[in-house]
Amino acid sequence: MPVAAYIDAAVLVAHAGESAAAVRCRLTTDRYAAIDPVFVLGEGRALLGNVPLAALLTAAGETPIAELMLEHAVHVPAIASREEAASIAIRANATCLAVLDHGALSI
């Protein structure tokens, strides 16, 4: 069964132009299944990169997310099997993977 069938949409996402303070504010008001890393999305939910939680928490409030972003987010295609996703996560030492459907974050 494709990994897309197991998606938990309750992950923290941000847009490149948002401030660190705005994203941190959502941590206190919303519930998430995963908050590390924060996935950074562009137009059409395209995955631009991610921000490690430690970087988000220690950044000055006015810092744009784009300045904190790492461009190479660990991800898998929505059609990947659970085994493929697990293998990628293990190799990258990732606790959370972005699942992409045609380049956009799947929800």
Side-chain angles (χ1 to χ4, degrees):
M1 182 174 296
V3 72
Y6 301 95
I7 291 174
D8 190 335
V11 296
L12 184 57
V13 298
H15 295 279
E18 279 188 281
S19 69
V23 177
R24 285 194 302 252
C25 183
R26 288 203 305 274
L27 281 172
T28 63
T29 59
D30 299 330
R31 291 182 151 294
Y32 299 100
I35 59 172
D36 190 19
V38 178
F39 294 114
V40 182
L41 306 181
E43 190 77 26
R45 298 189 59 81
L47 181 65
L48 301 177
N50 69 39
V51 175
L53 184 61
L56 175 67
L57 295 177
T58 59
E62 67 278 359
T63 305
I65 289 297
E67 289 184 18
L68 305 172
M69 182 179 77
L70 304 175
E71 292 184 5
H72 301 287
V74 179
H75 64 278
V76 295
I79 60 170
S81 69
R82 289 186 306 173
E83 292 79 13
E84 290 171 305
S87 177
I88 290 168
I90 290 167
R91 280 185 300 211
N93 196 28
T95 58
C96 185
L97 295 174
V99 178
L100 303 183
D101 188 9
H102 302 287
L105 190 68
S106 295
I107 294 293

